[in-house]
Amino acid sequence: MFSLLLFIVATPALSLPSQELLLSDDIIQKTQLLNVSEQLDVINSINSQKSEDARTLIEALERLQSTQSFSNVETLRLSLLRCFNLLEFSEFNQAIKLAQQGELNARELKYDIARPYFIQCEASANQSLGNVLQEQLLTEEALRLARRYSEQQAIINSLFLSSYQSTSLENYNQSIEKLRLSLDYFEDAYTQFQHWYLVPKSYILSEITNVFFSMGDFKEALHFAELAYNDPSTFGKLSFVFAVNLARINIALNDKKQTQIYLQKAEAFTTKNVSERDLTTTNAILASIHFYVGDYEVAEQLSLSSIKLFKKYKEPINLMRIKRTLAQVYIAQNKDSQALSLLNEIIEQASELKQFSDLEEFNQIISEYYATKNQFELAYQFQIQRFDAAKQATAKLNNAHFVQYQARLAEQNTHPPIEDELTTNINQNLAITALIILLLSIGLVFFLTKKPQAVLTDTKEETQQQRIDNILLNAKQGHYQMSMLLVNINHIRQVDIPYVEQQFQLALREQDELFRHSLDELIILLPHTSSTGAVRVMHQIEQILSNWKTDVKTSIGLASLQQLDTFEVLMKRAVLNQLSKMKPQDTKVI
């Protein structure tokens, strides 16, 4: 019986498609020989890599659904994968509509565990459309639901989306922390009972690359870019995209040889699964790489082709940027009048669109051009415009930070209605019920002899730890100072401790939190408090403790929260601070 149950529980983890299948040229024919659930796993695994093949398989399943009955889970998951596939083809408005309908269907079918995935699809579409506040709100809600239902795949997806937002707002430490957590969750996510949707691991590694590249740490960016390029999830169009990324990083490192190597690798990959819209963007990037290595004619051809298609898809910002590349090509080809015409045109467009970062760069290019022509007065004028654009870019970034905090405040102030009890699919219920019965049967004696008081204590400790973690998380997300005091109370009788805690509470502020960490230790968390402020609180606590006479002076450990700290790290620092105060005292006793 146990072996059968283990097989039922482990089946989802063991049913992942093989790498051989994913890389095969006849993947569509081979996949259609599988059952519906296995086909959905394949679609998830190739959606970002072989988007055209994924779309073909989705459409085939939708036709099959009209003649064959699908389970509720299969119906929801097919709709979800269709939503994420729409994103690959830049069909963002359709994706939003499908995501909203899918989330509503999940509610009605009582499959609330699917809701965060549909919300993530909607958030991604809003991200691409530039709807910043809506994207922030959706991402926060998706992460809340993912944590509530312990959906590790959804947690990873939300952390990835949120890290992308943080990187764009230059919150690099926050972004790296979210990506690190994503990698920590990744291995366990494969064993999740019901698969829904999971971003490729190479996406996480690529975003880490993006963070280091944005910080100017090109060597670390190169390291993670190579990891992303060599990850098993990198095939199809991702091989093409990540090879291009490696070429761009080597440009920043001024390594022309490696740039040419990765340029050749990128161009060797087939573009079968790259949509025309994605190919347009990639060709624009390739144009800049060809410009760097001196292939001016190729760079010009790719630029002109991209300009035509960006106009077709009405993407003015990308259109400006490829015109910048073309202007640089014209300067290298000594086509000065054409270059100046393009530069003046995009400077005007960037001003109209309020793209101040681009405007700063465009003014820098034209200023350098005039400087090389010894027209220093004109060069100076464009430098003045560049500095003005830089100020406006900073102001816009600060406003984007405010929008992010506004989204978080809106989420914190939203009191979601009490939802119905979570209901999962019948197979999951049967497996979990069987597992519980088995565990109860094996451990009946253990549970009967277990003291009720101990059980209540464990539950209390777990709730307390979750509360502490939430306080630390809020401090990190809100970017405010937080300090912690670790108070040793081993010299106080247990019967007196409730009175001591009461005295502490009178000395603390309303927002401060007091916890009993162990029999001999109390923890005080001080939000919005620097280490200097924490020292003042510590002196107040010492005065209260002085009422209990002892031969040994009580030491209090102090630690201030840093962005990457966990509770364990904070505790270690407080203990070390405590020990450092005790050391002179110990020497005196000896």
Side-chain angles (χ1 to χ4, degrees), residues 361-508:
E361 183 183 0
F362 299 160
N363 278 297
Q364 174 67 13
I365 292 170
I366 198 168
S367 176
E368 289 176 353
Y369 166 80
Y370 281 121
T372 59
K373 300 297 181 181
N374 296 325
Q375 298 182 38
F376 299 112
E377 187 175 342
L378 282 171
Y380 176 74
Q381 289 177 7
F382 281 102
Q383 278 295 330
I384 295 296
Q385 291 182 25
R386 176 199 167 202
F387 291 134
D388 183 56
K391 288 180 182 178
Q392 290 175 301
T394 302
K396 185 177 180 180
L397 181 64
N398 289 336
N399 184 57
H401 279 288
F402 176 75
V403 169
Q404 187 182 50
Y405 298 141
Q406 186 180 2
R408 287 177 181 163
L409 284 172
E411 176 60 32
Q412 289 171 0
N413 292 331
T414 300
H415 301 287
I418 299 174
E419 301 181 33
D420 295 336
E421 184 181 354
L422 175 64
T423 308
T424 55
N425 62 76
I426 296 173
N427 289 335
Q428 183 174 355
N429 281 337
L430 288 173
I432 293 174
T433 303
L435 181 59
I436 291 172
I437 292 171
L438 181 65
L439 291 174
L440 287 173
S441 300
I442 295 173
L444 184 60
V445 176
F446 173 77
F447 283 111
L448 289 174
T449 57
K450 185 90 171 161
K451 291 183 180 180
Q453 187 177 356
V455 175
L456 291 173
T457 303
D458 290 344
T459 304
K460 182 178 178 182
E461 288 177 358
E462 181 182 1
T463 304
Q464 174 176 297
Q465 186 59 51
Q466 289 174 346
R467 189 175 172 191
I468 291 172
D469 290 340
N470 286 334
I471 293 171
L472 299 184
L473 181 62
N474 288 337
K476 291 179 185 180
Q477 291 182 340
H479 292 279
Y480 57 78
Q481 293 179 313
M482 160 81 73
S483 295
M484 183 179 82
L485 298 179
L486 179 64
V487 185
N488 190 343
I489 53 171
N490 63 354
H491 63 289
I492 299 175
R493 297 183 306 166
Q494 292 294 316
V495 294
D496 292 336
I497 288 176
Y499 179 71
V500 173
E501 291 180 353
Q502 185 180 4
Q503 293 298 306
F504 283 179
Q505 291 286 9
L506 292 173
L508 297 175

Side-chain angles (χ1 to χ4, degrees), residues 123 126-139 165 168-169 396 399-404 407:
N126 276 284
Q127 184 182 81
S128 300
L129 291 171
N131 301 331
V132 180
L133 180 57
Q134 188 66 13
E135 169 206 355
Q136 298 276 356
L137 288 168
L138 289 167
T139 302
Q165 298 162 5
S168 65
L169 297 177
K396 185 177 180 180
N399 184 57
H401 279 288
F402 176 75
V403 169
Q404 187 182 50

Side-chain angles (χ1 to χ4, degrees), residues 290-310:
H290 277 287
F291 167 71
Y292 170 76
V293 299
D295 298 335
Y296 299 135
E297 290 185 5
V298 178
E300 182 181 2
Q301 291 171 4
L302 288 170
S303 298
L304 290 170
S305 172
S306 296
I307 286 172
K308 182 179 178 181
L309 289 169
F310 279 137

Side-chain angles (χ1 to χ4, degrees), residues 92-370:
F92 305 122
N93 290 317
Q94 296 94 312
I96 289 173
K97 291 178 183 177
L98 185 57
Q100 291 172 344
Q101 184 60 50
E103 199 262 345
L104 182 62
N105 292 341
R107 281 178 182 268
E108 291 175 350
L109 293 170
K110 305 297 184 184
Y111 280 96
D112 290 323
I113 55 175
R115 288 175 53 206
Y117 299 95
F118 284 104
I119 295 172
Q120 285 159 3
C121 185
E122 185 181 355
S124 297
N126 276 284
Q127 184 182 81
S128 300
L129 291 171
N131 301 331
V132 180
L133 180 57
Q134 188 66 13
E135 169 206 355
Q136 298 276 356
L137 288 168
L138 289 167
T139 302
E140 293 288 335
E141 173 65 5
L143 185 56
R144 183 187 71 83
L145 289 173
R147 284 175 170 155
R148 175 175 181 177
Y149 301 125
S150 300
E151 285 291 303
Q152 292 180 316
Q153 293 181 0
I155 291 173
I156 291 170
N157 300 338
S158 291
L159 287 172
F160 172 71
L161 270 177
S162 186
S163 69
Y164 185 89
Q165 298 162 5
S166 298
T167 303
S168 65
L169 297 177
E170 299 181 6
N171 292 331
Y172 300 127
N173 287 341
Q174 192 178 85
S175 185
I176 282 292
E177 175 67 10
K178 291 170 183 174
L179 293 167
R180 183 190 65 77
L181 286 173
S182 298
L183 290 177
D184 288 345
Y185 278 113
F186 221 92
E187 294 305 318
D188 292 336
Y190 285 121
T191 62
Q192 184 173 295
F193 184 86
Q194 175 58 58
H195 292 291
W196 291 100
Y197 178 79
L198 179 63
V199 297
K201 186 178 181 180
S202 55
Y203 269 29
I204 310 294
L205 297 169
S206 181
E207 185 56 27
I208 295 174
T209 301
N210 188 28
V211 174
F212 282 115
F213 190 84
S214 301
M215 293 170 64
D217 191 340
F218 302 130
K219 289 187 177 180
E220 279 298 307
L222 180 65
H223 170 69
F224 282 99
E226 288 172 342
L227 289 179
Y229 182 75
N230 294 312
D231 190 79
S233 64
T234 299
F235 57 90
K237 71 179 181 183
L238 290 189
S239 297
F240 175 69
V241 172
F242 293 154
V244 170
N245 283 349
L246 279 162
R248 292 178 69 194
I249 293 169
N250 279 288
I251 289 176
L253 291 168
N254 201 25
D255 190 335
K256 187 171 287 190
K257 181 180 178 182
Q258 284 297 314
T259 300
Q260 289 176 320
I261 289 173
Y262 283 110
L263 176 60
Q264 291 170 0
K265 287 184 177 182
E267 293 181 328
F269 288 113
T270 176
T271 57
K272 173 191 171 187
N273 277 281
V274 182
S275 66
E276 183 183 62
R277 198 165 187 170
D278 286 342
L279 191 58
T280 304
T281 305
T282 308
N283 281 341
I285 297 171
L286 288 175
S288 66
I289 298 172
H290 277 287
F291 167 71
Y292 170 76
V293 299
D295 298 335
Y296 299 135
E297 290 185 5
V298 178
E300 182 181 2
Q301 291 171 4
L302 288 170
S303 298
L304 290 170
S305 172
S306 296
I307 286 172
K308 182 179 178 181
L309 289 169
F310 279 137
K311 287 180 178 177
K312 173 184 173 182
Y313 290 112
K314 298 179 181 179
E315 296 189 24
I317 295 175
N318 284 329
L319 182 60
M320 282 191 317
R321 291 169 181 169
I322 190 58
K323 285 182 177 179
R324 169 209 58 198
T325 301
L326 183 57
Q328 291 175 306
V329 172
Y330 283 155
I331 291 172
Q333 294 174 325
N334 296 317
K335 299 177 181 178
D336 294 355
S337 61
Q338 292 168 274
L340 289 173
S341 176
L342 274 176
L343 286 169
N344 285 311
E345 179 186 330
I346 62 178
I347 284 173
E348 184 179 349
Q349 290 172 348
S351 299
E352 291 174 357
L353 295 170
K354 297 183 179 180
Q355 289 294 124
F356 300 116
S357 296
D358 290 310
L359 186 60
E360 178 187 0
E361 183 183 0
F362 299 160
N363 278 297
Q364 174 67 13
I365 292 170
I366 198 168
S367 176
E368 289 176 353
Y369 166 80
Y370 281 121

Side-chain angles (χ1 to χ4, degrees), residues 63-86:
R63 288 192 297 271
L64 180 64
Q65 193 176 25
S66 63
T67 60
Q68 178 180 320
S69 178
F70 283 17
S71 70
N72 289 338
V73 170
E74 291 167 344
T75 300
L76 283 172
R77 195 177 181 204
L78 179 59
S79 176
L80 177 69
L81 292 173
R82 163 64 84 177
C83 186
F84 280 103
N85 188 254
L86 288 171

